Amino acid sequence: MHQTVHVELGERSYDVEIGPDLLAQSGTRIAPLLHRPKVAVLTDENVAALHLDALRDGLASAGIEMSALALPAGEATKSWPHFERAVEWLLAEKVERRDVVIAFGGGVIGDLAGFAAAVLRRGVRFVQIPTSLLAQVDSSVGGKTGINAPQGKNLIGAFHQPSLVLADTSVLSTMTDRDFLSGYGEVVKYGLLGDADFFEWLEESGTKVSGGDMAARVRAVTRSVQMKADIVERDETEQGDRALLNLGHTFCHALEAATGYSDRLLHGEGVAIGCALAFELSSRLGLCSQEDPSRVRAHLRAMGMKTDLADIPGELPGAEALVNLMAQDKKVIDGQLRFILARGIGQAFVTSDVPRDAVLSVLQDALATA
Ligand code: GLY
């Protein structure tokens, strides 16, 4: 059932291994990267309680010793104080230039540990062992690392590709349904942006993926990672095509800001709602058929996911305020909002040519039914 996706980036190339029980095999899979049998692991307290023993045993089975620092779980950890603590701990652990750091957790830990590895001694290698669906299909692949600034999310960071990614799909069974479905928002995004057949398969098999069918999970993660790898290979540092991965994200970032980056809206939930809005906007601009946004929303609904603005608990600001929040997005270039729109399911493209009034009217109508 194991799959390998190769990310071809010249001397920065690496494999993403996907499948069940990879923690048990972590030692044999990581050993070829090591100059000495010792690794430093950055993780969070929740992941440590659930899975650190399994990782320790997996590494020990290949004679690899590990030390670990568990940071508090949650987005607030992606900040200077925790980053400083992580880097100072790695130095105290005497991690050397040729050693390997392991990022063991969800997107927060992957981003922070990757950034710590990027700057430690001017750059050491790191291995991603993502434990959430979102991290397995998105943040652990592609080398974006960093932390948040008071001015916004992910504003401090570096591109630093991992040397290996181990996506153990067994670990996903410990996720809450809400967190799993939030990650599934990113899976749906891949179908919508570039693979209509994959979206159709998700329409048929999405409940198997969410219900725990391992073969379906491996297939969903593998196809998502393959699509991300293809895009990152074409455009590693997001000069063009990589922005396709941000389908739904311009709306999502405004909604996340409007809800204070709180538990009211998880990132993947915002991506799912954002994808539905991006298809609505595309349809109103005459780019795709009117059936496409309905089909997107029908699948999200069938999965029990947040689909509309009405599904976000609490008050939201008005359409004008949401458009203004979009303008804070770090992907704005020369003051122009960039959107990922679609000519149909699986046919997304990047454009700055979107009339503000069209965005406003989509949001006004979405808020009116909220
Ligand atoms: N998560 C979007 C990217 O990696 O480019």
Side-chain angles (χ1 to χ4, degrees), residues 184 187-206 219 223 227 275 279 291-300 303 344-346:
Y184 186 83
V187 175
V188 174
K189 177 196 79 177
Y190 287 107
L192 295 177
L193 78 86
D195 187 345
D197 290 344
F198 182 48
F199 181 74
E200 203 174 313
W201 179 77
L202 290 172
E203 287 179 312
E204 286 157 16
S205 308
R219 182 166 170 180
R223 184 60 193 135
M227 289 188 70
C275 285
F279 269 81
E291 284 73 47
D292 287 339
S294 311
R295 203 173 145 197
V296 175
R297 293 177 64 256
H299 179 52
L300 300 179
M303 292 297 293
I345 286 176

Side-chain angles (χ1 to χ4, degrees), residues 98-153:
R98 300 197 312 170
D99 287 336
V100 167
V101 171
I102 296 188
F104 186 45
V108 167
I109 287 297
D111 286 6
L112 179 141
F115 186 38
V119 298
L120 188 79
R121 299 186 194 279
R122 296 206 178 88
V124 301
R125 292 166 304 150
F126 80 115
V127 171
Q128 289 269 19
I129 307 187
T131 56
S132 70
L133 181 60
L134 187 137
Q136 293 193 354
V137 299
D138 183 27
S139 56
S140 67
V141 180
K144 279 190 182 174
T145 72
I147 56 173
N148 301 327
Q151 291 83 352
K153 280 180 82 173

Side-chain angles (χ1 to χ4, degrees), residues 300-317:
L300 300 179
R301 270 277 165 257
M303 292 297 293
M305 295 166 72
K306 287 192 171 58
T307 308
D308 297 306
L309 297 187
D311 298 325
I312 302 172
E315 291 284 307
L316 286 174

Side-chain angles (χ1 to χ4, degrees), residues 138-139 141-142 144 189 228 232 238 242 245-246 249:
D138 183 27
S139 56
V141 180
K144 279 190 182 174
K189 177 196 79 177
K228 178 146 190 186
V232 168
E238 200 167 315
R242 186 162 178 166
L245 296 170
N246 296 319
H249 283 62

Side-chain angles (χ1 to χ4, degrees), residues 45-286:
E45 287 160 1
N46 292 350
V47 171
L50 289 165
H51 304 299
L52 198 58
D53 286 345
L55 178 64
R56 186 180 288 106
D57 291 349
L59 292 168
S61 69
I64 301 168
E65 220 183 281
M66 66 160 237
S67 53
L69 174 67
L71 296 167
E75 189 71 27
T77 294
K78 252 175 80 168
S79 57
W80 282 124
H82 293 286
F83 178 72
E84 184 180 4
R85 185 171 163 216
V87 172
E88 289 191 355
W89 177 78
L90 292 170
L91 290 171
E93 287 297 305
K94 300 192 169 45
V95 174
E96 296 175 3
R97 195 84 186 266
R98 300 197 312 170
D99 287 336
V100 167
V101 171
I102 296 188
F104 186 45
V108 167
I109 287 297
D111 286 6
L112 179 141
F115 186 38
V119 298
L120 188 79
R121 299 186 194 279
R122 296 206 178 88
V124 301
R125 292 166 304 150
F126 80 115
V127 171
Q128 289 269 19
I129 307 187
T131 56
S132 70
L133 181 60
L134 187 137
Q136 293 193 354
V137 299
D138 183 27
S139 56
S140 67
V141 180
K144 279 190 182 174
T145 72
I147 56 173
N148 301 327
Q151 291 83 352
K153 280 180 82 173
N154 297 322
L155 294 182
I156 303 155
F159 284 101
H160 187 51
Q161 299 291 343
S163 300
L164 174 70
V165 182
L166 297 178
D168 183 338
T169 46
S170 308
V171 166
L172 300 177
S173 62
T174 57
M175 293 183 72
T176 64
D177 288 348
R178 186 178 178 201
D179 283 334
F180 188 90
L181 285 179
S182 167
Y184 186 83
E186 297 276 2
V187 175
V188 174
K189 177 196 79 177
Y190 287 107
L192 295 177
L193 78 86
D195 187 345
D197 290 344
F198 182 48
F199 181 74
E200 203 174 313
W201 179 77
L202 290 172
E203 287 179 312
E204 286 157 16
S205 308
T207 49
K208 281 195 193 164
V209 177
S210 60
D213 180 301
M214 193 55 78
R217 284 192 170 178
V218 171
R219 182 166 170 180
V221 174
T222 303
R223 184 60 193 135
S224 302
V225 169
Q226 184 64 63
M227 289 188 70
K228 178 146 190 186
D230 290 347
I231 291 173
V232 168
E233 285 171 4
R234 292 205 298 274
D235 178 20
E236 184 181 1
T237 56
E238 200 167 315
Q239 307 302 312
D241 265 11
R242 186 162 178 166
L244 290 171
L245 296 170
N246 296 319
L247 175 63
H249 283 62
T250 308
F251 287 107
C252 171
H253 290 153
L255 295 170
E256 282 183 300
T259 49
Y261 301 97
S262 69
D263 201 35
R264 282 172 65 197
L265 186 73
L266 303 179
H267 177 70
E269 294 174 336
V271 170
I273 295 173
C275 285
L277 290 170
F279 269 81
E280 183 60 39
L281 180 57
S282 302
S283 155
R284 296 225 191 156
L285 293 171

